[in-house]
Amino acid sequence: MSKVEEKLAELGLTLPPVAAPVAAYVPALRTGEFVFTSGQLPMVAGKLPNTGKVGAEVTPEEAKELAQICALNALAAVKSVIGDLDLVEQIVKVVGFVASAPDFTGQPGVINGTSELLGQVFGEAGVHARSAVGVTVLPLDAPVEVELQVRVRAGA
């Protein structure tokens, strides 16, 4: 087990299997020293635990937990192309999308579910640039979607 996965275990978390794409794309793609994930929904065992808009059907607290699930799914996708998460040198950027009720403006707090987890697991290597964007709707009526850009150790 990698050090990253040991840290996840200390937090009571495990990497899920890579989520199956819901359309024509791959979960993650490596180019040189970088891995880019496709947008990851908060799928658990092939299903969304919640659907709807944050600030309406889904509370901000629930959405923050869903953003953490998105992060785990994204890390599983990264691992699927590099084999070992200990090869991650830096989480470069997080892009988070929040399906928002018209008056909801707490997108940054929701995406903190991803950012805080990455910081806990990777320490300084988990500090990243980020966008947190409110949108009208996401695939399958998911409340949250997250993608990662990761730099991998040179030569790995």
Side-chain angles (χ1 to χ4, degrees):
M1 184 181 292
S2 74
K3 289 180 182 179
V4 170
E5 290 179 86
E6 287 174 7
K7 184 63 178 175
L8 285 169
E10 288 173 18
L11 297 170
L13 302 169
T14 57
L15 280 184
V18 177
V22 298
Y25 60 87
V26 293
L29 183 69
R30 182 174 181 171
T31 180
E33 295 177 34
F34 293 92
V35 176
F36 298 85
T37 71
S38 296
Q40 298 293 313
L41 302 177
M43 299 295 250
V44 176
K47 297 167 121 180
L48 290 171
N50 295 70
T51 58
K53 307 290 181 282
V54 181
E57 300 87 4
V58 180
T59 69
E61 295 79 17
E62 290 169 327
K64 184 176 179 181
E65 291 176 15
L66 294 172
Q68 184 180 73
I69 295 169
C70 292
L72 290 170
N73 288 338
L75 291 175
V78 170
K79 182 180 177 185
S80 76
V81 297
I82 65 171
D84 183 350
L85 289 176
D86 288 348
L87 298 175
V88 170
E89 192 168 79
Q90 184 71 51
I91 305 294
V92 177
K93 185 161 186 187
V94 169
V95 180
F97 302 95
V98 180
S100 302
D103 60 345
F104 181 72
T105 60
Q107 293 83 7
V110 169
I111 302 305
N112 278 348
T114 294
S115 296
E116 291 169 3
L117 177 65
L118 294 173
Q120 289 176 306
V121 172
F122 290 98
E124 283 299 310
V127 176
H128 52 269
R130 187 179 92 172
S131 299
V133 182
V135 297
T136 305
V137 68
L138 289 168
L140 308 177
D141 200 26
V144 183
E145 181 175 345
V146 169
E147 62 182 58
L148 301 182
Q149 298 171 13
V150 175
R151 188 176 73 239
V152 179
R153 196 170 306 129

